[in-house]
């Protein structure tokens, strides 16, 4: 039967009618809350299986009740009794600890949002990958600390990884996976964070409050500091290397302070494809949540005439030493990115706690990399060993600064 365009009911064209079972690892964070916001606008489309948090019992319990989740897991075991009491009288199964995080990831949800911050997200994300789930990957640290293992597991299990990071999500939408040989380079755009044009002499005095105040994006504290040091963009270069079939020298960065173009792919014929949108994580999250269809997102729609002009600036390596460090570890491979990731996590939290200065973050990472020999990691337990050792060395360096 033929329909004329006016006869088609367009309201449901891109909507899958069968509810998708979903699990959100890190549901109380910025990405987790945005994901639940999208789900709350399409309640018939999704069935929430498991939700997890680290310590935020109140929000986790509220989410579990609102979305009628099957399971709620709090990573901090000391908070199990609090979560039990907050969810008493409900049917939500309550659990705590690292093993319980894995159980949440192992529930048979076909779609899993990986939005725990840091290397803590690695194990549960791998669990979801190993059972062949569709994993919406926000947690870039997983790929930085164990990219080869993760991608090997993806191949073996047949899992699907959908990048959530706005840049990688953009590339995913415009990358010709059937003809990767026609691609010249990927250019990841960077907002440059709050300090891309701050006088270098003032950078030593940057406070945690200033560093977490991102000009365009509302994000968790760790990634906000990573954006301010531009370590985030370096981590994203490593993330892109594992997600897309390109060489290390085909990955470029440009500062684009308006955060409208989320990334670009340049082809051999001179064409450059870009994905654009207002800076709202609900756009890339909705791409992964609706995948393989598209769904409505409440993000403000883009009006280029309102913005007027877009700017592009070469990143300043002197100002942002983290960019060179990430390039170097990607080049070295083996355990080097794992060390960088662990050391950066320790240094960022030490900065947020006021123990070290802003410029010390990159110094701690560099000194940790200098203090430890790199080697080829053969197993996941090697990854954990390298991660723990790097955290120990970085903590010792921080103690040296604070004494
Ligand atoms: P948040 O800090 O806002 O949230 C982190 C989530 O992880 C929370 O649910 C937190 O629980 C939980 N969590 C923290 N530590 C642990 C732990 N040790 N074990 C288990 N759960 C833990 O982070 P974001 O949402 O901003 O970022 C999440 C990930 O997504 C990061 O890897 C980040 O790089 C990436 N990302 C984020 C973007 C953004 O716009 N926010 C953009 C692109 C990528 P609790 O609330 O209890 O602390």
């Amino acid at each position: 039967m033929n329909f004329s365009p006016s006869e088609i009911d367009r309201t449901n064209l891109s909507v899958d009618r069968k509810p998708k079972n979903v699990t959100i690892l890190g549901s109380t964070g910025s990405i987790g809350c945005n994901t639940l916001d999208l789900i709350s606008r399409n309640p018939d489309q999704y069935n929430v299986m498991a939700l997890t948090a680290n310590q935020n019992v109140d929000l986790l319990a509220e989410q579990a009740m609102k979305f009628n989740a099957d399971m709620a897991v709090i990573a901090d075991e000391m908070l199990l009794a609090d979560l039990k009491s907050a969810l008493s009288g409900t049917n939500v199964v309550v659990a705590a600890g690292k093993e319980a995080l894995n159980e949440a990831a192992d529930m048979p949800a076909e779609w899993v949002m990986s939005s725990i911050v840091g290397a803590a997200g690695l194990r549960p994300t791998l669990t979801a990958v190993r059972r062949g789930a569709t994993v919406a990957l926000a947690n870039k640290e997983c790929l930085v600390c164990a990219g080869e293992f993760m991608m090997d597991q993806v191949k073996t299990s047949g899992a699907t990884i959908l990048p959530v990071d706005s840049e990688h999500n953009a590339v995913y939408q415009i990358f010709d996976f059937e003809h990767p040989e026609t691609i010249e380079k990927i250019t990841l755009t960077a907002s440059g964070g709050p300090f891309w044009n701050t006088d270098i002499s003032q950078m030593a005095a940057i406070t945690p409050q200033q560093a977490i105040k991102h000009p365009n994006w509302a994000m968790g504290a760790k990634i906000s500091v990573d954006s301010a040091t531009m370590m985030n963009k370096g981590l994203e270069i490593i993330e892109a290397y594992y997600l897309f079939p390109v060489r290390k020298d085909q990955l470029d960065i440009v500062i684009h302070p308006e955060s409208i173009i989320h990334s670009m792919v340049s082809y051999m014929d001179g064409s450059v494809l870009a994905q654009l949108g207002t800076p709202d994580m609900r756009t890339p999250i909705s791409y992964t949540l609706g995948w393989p269809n598209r769904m409505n997102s409440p993000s403000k729609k883009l009006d280029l005439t309102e913005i007027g002009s877009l700017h592009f600036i070469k990143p300043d390596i002197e100002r942002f030493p983290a960019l060179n460090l990430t390039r170097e570890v990607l080049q070295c491979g083996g355990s080097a990115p794992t060390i960088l990731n662990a050391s950066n996590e320790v240094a960022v939290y030490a900065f947020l706690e006021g123990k070290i200065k802003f410029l010390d973050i990159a110094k701690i990472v560099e000194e940790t990399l200098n203090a430890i020999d790199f080697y080829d990691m053969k197993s996941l337990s090697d990854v954990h060993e390298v991660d723990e050792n790097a955290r120990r060395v970085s903590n010792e360096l921080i103690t040296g600064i604070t004494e």
Side-chain angles (χ1 to χ4, degrees):
M1 189 187 292
N2 290 325
F3 289 101
S4 74
S6 60
E7 285 171 312
I8 299 173
D9 175 5
R10 295 195 169 271
T11 51
N12 285 322
L13 254 190
S14 60
V15 174
D16 203 351
R17 283 167 187 281
K18 194 170 140 268
K20 217 181 244 184
N21 289 318
V22 302
T23 280
I24 303 170
L25 304 170
S27 63
T28 49
S30 159
I31 293 285
C33 290
N34 275 322
T35 307
L36 286 172
D37 175 64
L38 289 166
I39 290 174
S40 71
R41 292 164 195 270
N42 302 276
D44 304 340
Q45 304 275 319
Y46 301 97
N47 171 44
V48 175
M49 295 197 101
L51 297 174
T52 81
N54 188 30
Q55 291 185 316
N56 194 341
V57 169
D58 292 346
L59 183 56
L60 178 62
E62 185 190 319
Q63 293 175 337
M65 284 188 278
K66 178 173 175 190
F67 292 91
N68 200 14
D70 298 314
M71 185 182 198
V73 172
I74 194 88
D76 185 338
E77 294 185 26
M78 305 294 283
L79 297 170
L80 178 60
D82 291 353
L83 185 61
K84 270 189 179 159
S85 128
L87 286 169
S88 68
T90 71
N91 292 326
V92 184
V93 173
V94 171
K98 288 184 184 167
E99 222 31 74
L101 280 181
N102 261 345
E103 281 169 33
D106 213 15
M107 292 205 43
E110 58 253 44
W111 188 94
V112 177
M113 168 57 80
S114 162
S115 56
I116 290 174
V117 62
L122 174 61
R123 210 167 145 228
T125 305
L126 268 175
T127 299
V129 163
R130 282 181 178 138
R131 64 175 179 78
T134 295
V135 177
L137 188 70
N139 177 304
K140 64 195 87 189
E141 294 93 341
C142 287
L143 283 180
V144 176
C145 73
E148 274 171 38
F149 291 105
M150 177 80 87
M151 294 321 278
D152 279 353
Q153 297 290 329
V154 169
K155 271 187 215 139
T156 314
S157 67
T160 301
I161 297 279
L162 299 173
V164 171
D165 228 341
S166 59
E167 297 78 3
H168 304 73
N169 186 271
V171 174
Y172 191 82
Q173 296 191 45
I174 54 184
F175 194 96
D176 186 348
F177 285 94
E178 283 177 18
H179 303 103
E181 72 288 354
T182 63
I183 285 159
E184 214 157 63
K185 66 170 180 175
I186 290 175
T187 306
L188 301 182
T189 51
S191 67
F195 312 122
W196 69 269
N197 57 358
T198 300
D199 197 295
I200 295 194
S201 64
Q202 292 174 11
M203 290 183 76
I206 288 167
T207 64
Q209 289 72 25
Q210 291 169 318
I212 58 173
K213 209 162 173 283
H214 196 280
N216 304 340
W217 301 94
M219 307 185 288
K222 195 256 177 184
I223 183 175
S224 297
V225 175
D226 284 346
S227 290
T229 59
M230 284 198 79
M231 180 65 83
N232 183 50
K233 210 47 53 179
L235 300 178
E236 287 180 5
I237 286 280
I238 300 174
E239 181 185 11
Y241 174 67
Y242 287 111
L243 289 174
F244 305 108
V246 289
R247 296 186 313 272
K248 294 169 184 172
D249 63 351
Q250 288 177 291
L251 294 162
D252 206 358
I253 296 172
V254 67
I255 292 184
H256 165 43
E258 293 86 4
S259 298
I260 296 297
I261 296 185
H262 298 303
S263 276
M264 296 171 266
V265 175
S266 305
Y267 286 84
M268 63 201 293
D269 61 2
S271 300
V272 180
L273 302 195
Q275 185 262 357
L276 287 73
T278 54
D280 184 330
M281 284 309 292
R282 289 176 299 182
T283 297
I285 295 170
S286 66
Y287 179 88
T288 67
L289 197 52
W291 188 88
N293 302 312
R294 293 219 182 232
M295 61 186 275
N296 272 321
S297 157
S299 330
K300 184 174 186 282
K301 299 294 182 264
L302 180 61
D303 177 354
L304 284 174
T305 61
E306 196 182 291
I307 294 157
S309 53
L310 300 176
H311 298 87
F312 303 94
I313 302 120
K314 221 177 148 87
D316 177 351
I317 305 295
E318 297 280 308
R319 180 190 299 267
F320 296 116
L323 288 174
N324 263 353
L325 291 175
T326 44
R327 284 276 182 200
E328 282 166 20
V329 300
L330 179 61
Q331 218 48 50
C332 293
S335 56
T338 316
I339 297 169
L340 173 131
N341 183 66
S343 173
N344 181 56
E345 281 187 34
V346 169
V348 167
Y349 289 113
F351 167 67
L352 286 169
E353 287 162 17
K355 292 183 186 158
I356 60 170
K357 302 261 184 252
F358 183 73
L359 296 179
D360 290 332
I361 298 173
K363 279 190 204 149
I364 295 287
V365 174
E366 185 173 8
E367 285 176 30
T368 304
L369 285 163
N370 288 339
I372 303 174
D373 289 335
F374 309 152
Y375 68 92
D376 279 335
M377 301 181 299
K378 302 251 180 305
S379 66
L380 209 55
S381 63
D382 284 351
V383 174
H384 290 305
E385 198 179 302
V386 169
D387 178 274
E388 270 173 34
N389 190 32
R391 282 171 203 268
R392 185 186 51 76
V393 170
S394 296
N395 274 317
E396 283 169 9
L397 289 164
I398 288 164
T399 308
I401 288 178
T402 48
E403 270 173 0

